[in-house]
Amino acid sequence: MIVKTLILLCLLFNIQAQELDSVEFLQWHLQKSELYTNSKKYIKRLKNRVKRNEIIGLELISAEASDERVESKFGHSLFRFVDNDNDPGNDITISFVADVDGPKASNLAGVVGKYGVYPEVKSLRLFVKQYVKDQSRPLERYIIPASSEMIDSLIVTLDLWWEELLSSRKEIYLESLSNARKEAQLKGRELFGEDGFEIFELKFFDTENQIDMTRSFGIVQKGDLPYLDDTQRDKALYLQAYQRSYDELYLKEDEVFLNLFGELWKIKKNESILSIMNHDINVATKEAISHFGHSEIKLFRIVDRNLQESGFYALTKEHLEKLDILKKVEISLLVKNLRVKSAASEGLGKYTFFSNNCAGAVIKFLKKSNFPHKRTRGIQGRVPVKLHKWMSRSLLVPYPSFVIDGAQKLRNKIARILGFSAKEFLDYRFPEHQWSIISKYISNEDKFLFYDLYASKLPASYIEMVRREITGLEAPDYNQIYNIKLSENKLYTLCTNKECGSEVKNLLKKYWNKKEIKKVKKLIDRTGNNTFIYSGLKSRPEVLNHLKALKYLESDFGE
């Protein structure tokens, strides 16, 4: 078993090494830096809201399970800080995710704990887009009654973990910079000899640190004349990559190639390809339109091995789609990217699917902040869609859930209108002639939601029909159409007396039926009836007093 695991790990790292020096990998890494920048911005915003006493409550949010990825099969857990501005969409929310080190996450790495855990922080509205709109996964909200001191302790923990992550990222960067420089030198000597090459830093503006930072090293073969600056080296880097790809095509007299900048295509000469020997793109465009009789054309610059331009090839888009491509060659820049290792904080640790996943990170978040907690995690503390049960057993979630399901309700309604089952509706392709049927039986509010859900997914002609129907109508509130309900502030507070407890119990009856309330109370009863009371459950006396005020716990519990 150990040998098999080692073999799999070797395969994993070899695959990543092959992808590491691609331009795509570098682009992904730059995009990932943006995620850190955004989270940093939202954490700062959250801390300011806490300082101004604008945070009135906490929620656990659970995303429905999905078959889209391995880690999604058990759902996902989010942690929400509810503020007092009556716009739930802008509430700051945390998602603990794997800090992957490449464009494609590895399932194996998620099992063995290769990735760190990273707090992705953004607004609830953005998470609604991610899960409800884009992935069709309803979100369940579970209120966590808490005091201001408890909220403050969470911010202290988040601040600590964030600083640990930033420190880890800085160390990783400096180590990666040194290693990439050495690897670039070795690669240059291997290809061009001891003195036949130069390396230079490829820098990009880092929005997180607001400075230019080296993300890669370019490796260029020395020319007849020395390079005067990095601009010349940069041009040589592309030219040499282009020439390697050009030579690999082995063009014959009856063949030409199309230059797509990142790729070269070798094709047979044929009558559908028009050669225009003019450098001016406007002149070339007019000549192509005149020749083909319409404007649905595509131009490709004609360049020789030294990137000297001599005109354009013109094809219709129809011919381009039917083109017989003899060979494709990627133009691969000779670069050595910094090896981006996953950062990890001491508190959050490494991500694993079945233990330190999003649910495990939420539990660590609560424990570190001295929230009541069970001694053991069990299955409920490991599976995100069951985490609310663990939290009820830990005396933290005493109420049933609210569900953000406006989109799901609309999809179900459309399925019923058209006579489909929920499963059949997944494959529905929305033929335009059926919009009149759908439109007849859904409300104007639903039409706005339909437009928001499908504007980027359906043909422009279909969406234009929907847009015409809602133009001139008063647009409903975003939170309203997605069913992101406001909750009574009282539900987020901790009671200290029976009067407050009675008031909260009356509110519960307003939102949920007896069966739903009893189901959650039963989970708390299982903890309350234990003979031995674990000390972690007594870490916040104010929580115990709240549950006693609700008569969920006996008055002598914890004493």
Side-chain angles (χ1 to χ4, degrees):
M1 183 64 188
I2 295 175
V3 174
K4 285 184 178 180
T5 302
L6 288 173
I7 291 172
L8 287 169
L9 283 170
C10 288
L11 287 172
L12 166 71
F13 294 127
N14 284 339
I15 290 168
Q16 288 188 337
Q18 292 168 14
E19 296 176 345
L20 179 66
D21 295 325
S22 68
V23 174
E24 291 76 17
F25 187 96
L26 183 58
Q27 290 171 336
W28 168 84
H29 178 51
L30 295 173
Q31 290 169 356
K32 183 182 176 185
S33 293
E34 290 288 335
L35 293 178
Y36 269 84
T37 302
N38 290 334
S39 288
K40 183 178 180 179
K41 176 184 70 178
Y42 277 107
I43 289 174
K44 182 179 179 181
R45 190 177 298 174
L46 174 61
K47 289 166 68 175
N48 287 335
R49 289 181 185 179
V50 171
K51 284 180 183 177
R52 296 193 296 263
N53 295 316
E54 293 174 357
I55 302 299
I56 60 169
L58 306 170
E59 288 184 0
L60 168 72
I61 298 180
S62 177
E64 189 179 80
S66 165
D67 291 330
E68 195 168 298
R69 294 185 300 273
V70 172
E71 68 271 24
S72 301
K73 289 182 180 294
F74 307 104
H76 190 69
S77 300
L78 310 168
F79 202 90
R80 174 188 176 194
F81 290 83
V82 183
D83 63 40
N84 61 1
D85 69 354
N86 292 326
D87 179 9
N90 80 353
D91 287 353
I92 294 171
T93 306
I94 302 175
S95 169
F96 293 102
V97 296
D99 187 22
V100 299
D101 55 5
K104 297 178 182 178
S106 162
N107 291 336
L108 176 60
V111 172
V112 300
K114 181 174 179 290
Y115 303 137
V117 177
Y118 162 66
E120 182 183 9
V121 189
K122 55 189 182 183
S123 70
L124 177 61
R125 185 175 286 107
L126 291 176
F127 281 116
V128 168
K129 179 186 182 302
Q130 178 180 338
Y131 289 102
V132 178
K133 180 179 177 180
D134 297 341
Q135 299 179 20
S136 301
R137 297 166 67 183
L139 299 174
E140 286 198 67
R141 300 166 38 217
Y142 297 90
I143 290 174
I144 306 170
S147 63
S148 59
E149 290 79 8
M150 293 168 71
I151 293 171
D152 289 341
S153 66
L154 289 170
I155 301 302
V156 170
T157 300
L158 180 61
D159 217 19
L160 172 65
W161 286 351
W162 185 251
E163 289 303 317
E164 288 177 350
L165 279 171
L166 293 182
S167 176
S168 175
R169 277 170 58 80
K170 185 176 180 180
E171 291 176 11
I172 288 170
Y173 173 77
L174 294 175
E175 180 185 354
S176 300
L177 186 68
S178 175
N179 290 340
R181 190 188 303 274
K182 292 175 185 175
E183 290 171 4
Q185 293 280 3
L186 288 172
K187 189 69 175 177
R189 281 193 285 270
E190 177 188 327
L191 294 173
F192 308 119
E194 185 67 35
D195 298 315
F197 71 97
E198 293 184 24
I199 67 169
F200 65 105
E201 296 180 357
L202 295 172
K203 293 188 175 184
F204 299 86
F205 185 72
D206 186 276
T207 53
E208 180 186 344
N209 298 291
Q210 294 294 300
I211 56 173
D212 285 327
M213 295 183 71
T214 301
R215 296 299 183 190
S216 181
F217 287 91
I219 308 169
V220 291
Q221 187 175 14
K222 287 183 177 179
D224 295 332
L225 297 173
Y227 301 115
L228 299 179
D229 51 35
D230 283 350
T231 300
Q232 290 189 358
R233 295 184 185 92
D234 193 50
K235 290 179 179 178
L237 183 69
Y238 180 76
L239 174 61
Q240 291 174 15
Y242 171 81
Q243 290 177 337
R244 287 191 295 270
S245 301
Y246 183 97
D247 293 342
E248 194 177 329
L249 288 176
Y250 303 112
L251 289 176
K252 298 177 183 178
E253 287 188 7
D254 61 341
E255 296 171 344
V256 297
F257 74 91
L258 302 181
N259 183 4
L260 283 78
F261 187 73
E263 203 171 51
L264 301 181
W265 291 1
K266 181 166 72 172
I267 58 175
K268 283 277 188 184
K269 288 181 180 178
N270 62 68
E271 294 179 356
S272 68
I273 303 173
L274 175 66
S275 298
I276 305 172
M277 295 300 127
N278 193 301
H279 292 266
D280 190 319
I281 191 169
N282 294 320
V283 172
T285 300
K286 289 179 181 178
E287 187 173 333
I289 293 173
S290 174
H291 177 83
F292 292 114
H294 58 80
S295 60
E296 294 292 308
I297 58 170
K298 182 72 176 176
L299 296 179
F300 297 90
R301 291 192 181 274
I302 302 174
V303 289
D304 64 13
R305 187 178 183 276
N306 293 314
L307 287 176
Q308 296 302 307
E309 300 175 3
S310 58
F312 294 89
Y313 290 125
L315 293 87
T316 66
K317 290 186 177 180
E318 181 183 358
H319 285 140
L320 184 61
E321 291 172 359
K322 298 177 180 178
L323 207 59
D324 183 17
I325 302 168
L326 301 176
K327 188 175 183 179
K328 289 183 180 182
V329 179
E330 185 180 348
I331 301 175
S332 299
L333 301 180
L334 191 53
V335 296
K336 181 58 64 175
N337 293 334
L338 271 65
R339 190 177 298 274
V340 188
K341 295 180 182 178
S342 177
S345 76
E346 184 178 344
L348 278 169
K350 296 286 189 177
Y351 183 97
T352 54
F353 285 148
F354 308 113
S355 181
N356 199 35
N357 52 16
C358 56
V362 169
I363 290 174
K364 282 187 175 181
F365 193 33
L366 297 168
K367 284 185 176 181
K368 180 67 176 176
S369 305
N370 199 34
F371 275 53
H373 57 274
K374 285 178 60 187
R375 181 174 55 181
T376 59
R377 285 176 58 187
I379 192 68
Q380 293 174 347
R382 298 175 189 276
V383 178
V385 291
K386 293 182 179 293
L387 181 59
H388 64 281
K389 293 184 178 181
W390 183 91
M391 292 184 68
S392 291
R393 293 288 311 279
S394 295
L395 312 179
L396 292 172
V397 171
Y399 316 137
S401 66
F402 294 105
V403 185
I404 302 174
D405 58 357
Q408 192 60 43
K409 285 180 177 178
L410 177 59
R411 292 185 180 105
N412 292 341
K413 185 185 294 185
I414 294 172
R416 288 195 302 271
I417 291 169
L418 299 173
F420 292 130
S421 67
K423 187 175 181 180
E424 290 170 335
F425 185 70
L426 294 175
D427 298 320
Y428 180 59
R429 292 293 174 265
F430 291 95
E432 292 186 19
H433 70 275
Q434 290 189 342
W435 169 246
S436 59
I437 302 172
I438 296 171
S439 173
K440 185 178 179 181
Y441 294 103
I442 64 175
S443 66
N444 288 337
E445 187 178 295
D446 284 339
K447 290 173 186 176
F448 277 98
L449 177 55
F450 184 96
Y451 186 86
D452 191 65
L453 287 172
Y454 295 109
S456 61
K457 299 177 182 178
L458 295 180
S461 55
Y462 194 117
I463 291 302
E464 177 60 23
M465 290 192 300
V466 182
R467 191 186 67 79
R468 284 198 299 265
E469 288 202 23
I470 61 177
T471 298
L473 298 175
E474 183 179 353
D477 180 71
Y478 178 91
N479 301 315
Q480 180 182 342
I481 61 175
Y482 276 95
N483 198 29
I484 311 175
K485 295 177 179 176
L486 286 170
S487 304
E488 301 274 355
N489 290 1
K490 193 74 175 178
L491 293 177
Y492 294 104
T493 61
L494 293 171
C495 289
T496 58
N497 54 60
K498 292 180 180 179
E499 289 74 22
C500 173
S502 296
E503 188 179 342
V504 169
K505 289 173 79 172
N506 287 331
L507 282 175
L508 299 186
K509 295 173 185 176
K510 176 181 173 182
Y511 294 110
W512 299 287
N513 60 45
K514 288 182 180 180
K515 186 177 180 180
E516 291 170 323
I517 296 169
K518 187 176 181 181
K519 188 176 180 180
V520 179
K521 185 176 182 298
K522 190 175 180 180
L523 290 169
I524 295 174
D525 285 342
R526 289 180 61 188
T527 296
N529 291 331
N530 287 344
T531 303
F532 172 76
I533 307 301
Y534 173 57
S535 59
L537 293 167
K538 299 183 284 185
S539 59
R540 291 284 183 177
E542 60 266 44
V543 173
L544 302 185
N545 290 336
H546 175 69
L547 295 174
K548 290 174 183 178
L550 293 176
K551 297 184 178 179
Y552 279 23
L553 291 177
E554 296 295 332
S555 59
D556 59 350
F557 180 88
E559 296 177 0

